[in-house]
């Protein structure tokens, strides 16, 4: 990892020098003794030391959940100055801090008084800052404002309100981090923008369910050693279950007649008509759809056997 960090930093410095139009001369040429050569070396050293200074200054901010607002502001203003490897470490630390602090924020929102007040101000898709502006209750305004500045947004399910990590806000960091975390941010921001389910039912279409599962599978295939491989694998298992079984309030097979949901049938047929390539997920879906086509798209013993063997519930 240390060697990788050195290589990434060296690459960043090289790109930075090229972008600035500075010429790097080979050792032993006449240019080495010129003022230009001295300027080149100074620029490289300056770039490296500045990146390291920015990186080190961010670390204590990312060690204390009470400093989340300051950490976010600092990263937003300075992350451009560090190497891709350093940026990746900082963003992963930010997410770790968000996860660690979330239970405390959940408790702050869980009180009956706060829940009652939120009922009158909550609007789907509205930021914490906008919600804070919409209430005259000083305590609630402060809670909402601080939660928003700390990187959370408000969600609701089963009549309750609760904060979640606002992964959409991580999108601004994608251009600075390494490729696996860039793709990880895309996956998590999609979940943040529109969660797949609420109240034990799917709130996205069957085609979107399968598309997200496919994206997650591709991440697992492309980045088996990613720092976030476990998180994506966990999410992938959820989407595999949703694809092949649905949820309690949106089952893949209707409870009354055991027929496959018609919209799911259309969605899966359309996806498989495009490509199933080297995707184990699509190959299993293709096997299920071929079996269902033979029996009129109804769940029977053969379908149950296939699901139990190929995509067992855990």
């Amino acid at each position: 990892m240390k060697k990788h960090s050195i290589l990434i930093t060296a690459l960043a410095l090289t790109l930075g020098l090229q972008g600035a139009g500075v010429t790097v001369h080979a050792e032993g040429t006449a240019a080495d003794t010129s003022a230009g050569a001295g300027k080149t070396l100074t620029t490289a050293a300056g770039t490296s030391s500045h990146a390291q200074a920015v990186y080190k200054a961010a670390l204590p901010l990312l060690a204390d959940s009470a400093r989340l607002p300051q950490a976010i502001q600092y990263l937003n203003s300075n992350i451009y100055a560090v190497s891709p490897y350093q940026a990746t470490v900082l963003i992963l630390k930010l997410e770790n801090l968000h996860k660690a602090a979330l239970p405390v924020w959940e408790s702050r929102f869980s009180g009956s008084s706060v829940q009652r007040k939120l009922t009158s101000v909550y609007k789907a898709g509205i930021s914490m800052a906008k919600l804070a502006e919409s209430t005259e209750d000083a305590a609630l305004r402060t809670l909402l404002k601080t939660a928003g500045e700390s990187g959370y947004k408000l969600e609701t399910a089963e009549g309750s309100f609760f904060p979640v990590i606002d992964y959409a806000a991580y999108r601004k960091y994608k251009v600075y981090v390494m490729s696996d975390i860039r793709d990880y941010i895309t996956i998590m921001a999609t979940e943040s923008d529109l969660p797949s389910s609420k109240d034990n039912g799917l709130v996205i279409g069957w085609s979107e369910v399968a598309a997200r599962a496919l994206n997650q599978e591709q991440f697992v295939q492309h980045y088996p050693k990613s720092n976030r491989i476990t998180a994506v694998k966990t999410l992938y298992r959820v989407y595999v279950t949703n694809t092949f079984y649905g949820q309690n309030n949106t089952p893949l097979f209707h409870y009354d007649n055991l027929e496959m949901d018609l919209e799911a049938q259309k969605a899966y047929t359309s996806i498989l008509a495009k490509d199933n390539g080297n995707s184990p997920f699509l190959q299993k879906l293709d096997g299920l759809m071929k079996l269902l086509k033979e029996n009129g798209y109804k769940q029977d013993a053969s379908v149950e056997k296939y699901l139990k063997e190929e995509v067992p519930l855990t």
Side-chain angles (χ1 to χ4, degrees):
M1 184 64 75
K2 184 176 182 181
K3 183 184 292 185
H4 186 57
S5 174
I6 293 172
L7 290 173
I8 290 295
T9 303
L11 178 59
L13 289 175
T14 301
L15 293 174
L17 290 172
Q18 291 173 343
V22 180
T23 302
V24 181
H25 299 282
E27 184 177 355
T29 65
D32 289 335
T33 59
S34 69
K39 183 178 180 180
T40 298
L41 294 174
T42 302
T43 301
T47 302
S48 177
S49 61
H50 179 60
Q52 189 66 11
V54 170
Y55 176 77
K56 285 186 176 181
L59 294 178
L61 297 176
L62 294 167
D64 182 0
S65 60
R67 304 181 74 181
L68 266 171
Q70 295 95 317
I72 291 170
Q73 289 179 1
Y74 185 83
L75 290 175
N76 291 350
S77 299
N78 297 284
I79 196 169
Y80 73 91
V82 301
S83 71
Y85 177 77
Q86 289 172 324
T88 297
V89 172
L90 294 177
I91 294 312
L92 293 182
K93 285 182 176 292
L94 177 63
E95 187 195 25
N96 287 342
L97 192 58
H98 270 138
K99 289 180 177 178
L102 185 56
V104 175
W105 280 105
E106 289 173 337
S107 67
R108 292 174 181 171
F109 277 85
S110 64
S112 57
S113 176
V114 173
Q115 291 287 309
R116 186 170 58 254
K117 293 174 183 177
L118 287 172
T119 302
S120 62
V121 300
Y122 178 78
K123 291 182 180 179
I126 303 299
S127 68
M128 290 281 201
K130 290 293 184 182
L131 290 175
E133 293 174 1
S134 68
T135 179
E136 296 181 0
D137 186 288
L140 182 61
R141 189 187 310 120
T142 299
L143 178 64
L144 290 166
K145 183 174 182 293
T146 307
E149 292 173 346
S150 297
Y152 299 96
K153 68 175 189 174
L154 199 62
E155 277 290 347
T156 182
E158 298 180 348
S160 297
F161 303 96
F162 49 90
V164 296
I165 300 172
D166 185 8
Y167 280 102
Y170 278 66
R171 283 195 174 102
K172 66 174 70 72
Y173 307 130
K174 286 173 60 175
V175 296
Y176 305 109
V177 299
M178 298 175 76
S179 60
D180 63 320
I181 303 306
R182 180 189 64 224
D183 290 352
Y184 172 73
I185 290 173
T186 297
I187 288 172
M188 299 307 294
T190 298
E191 291 298 301
S192 179
D193 290 342
L194 182 58
S196 62
S197 62
K198 285 187 178 182
D199 303 331
N200 291 315
L202 294 171
V203 294
I204 59 175
W206 295 101
S207 59
E208 178 67 12
V209 171
R212 292 189 188 185
L214 188 58
N215 287 337
Q216 293 150 14
E217 180 188 55
Q218 289 172 347
F219 182 98
V220 173
Q221 291 175 333
H222 293 165
Y223 309 113
K225 296 184 180 180
S226 172
N227 186 279
R228 290 304 190 255
I229 187 68
T230 299
V232 176
K233 281 183 175 180
T234 299
L235 190 61
Y236 174 60
R237 286 193 291 269
V238 171
Y239 274 89
V240 168
T241 299
N242 287 342
T243 301
F244 288 90
Y245 294 92
Q247 293 196 7
N248 288 342
N249 292 333
T250 48
L252 183 61
F253 300 99
H254 296 301
Y255 294 124
D256 53 354
N257 55 17
L258 299 182
E259 289 183 355
M260 182 183 189
D261 184 274
L262 182 58
E263 293 303 317
Q265 178 186 331
K266 293 178 180 178
Y268 294 172
T269 300
S270 176
I271 290 171
L272 293 170
K274 298 174 184 177
D275 180 34
N276 62 7
N278 61 348
S279 164
F281 168 77
L282 289 181
Q283 290 168 5
K284 290 179 180 180
L285 186 60
D286 186 49
L288 175 65
M289 292 302 290
K290 286 177 178 177
L291 187 60
L292 285 167
K293 186 176 181 180
E294 295 174 358
N295 68 359
Y297 295 98
K298 283 193 173 185
Q299 185 181 40
D300 59 12
S302 64
V303 171
E304 290 181 354
K305 182 175 183 293
Y306 181 88
L307 291 173
K308 185 176 181 179
E309 293 176 351
E310 298 297 329
V311 281
L313 289 171
T314 56

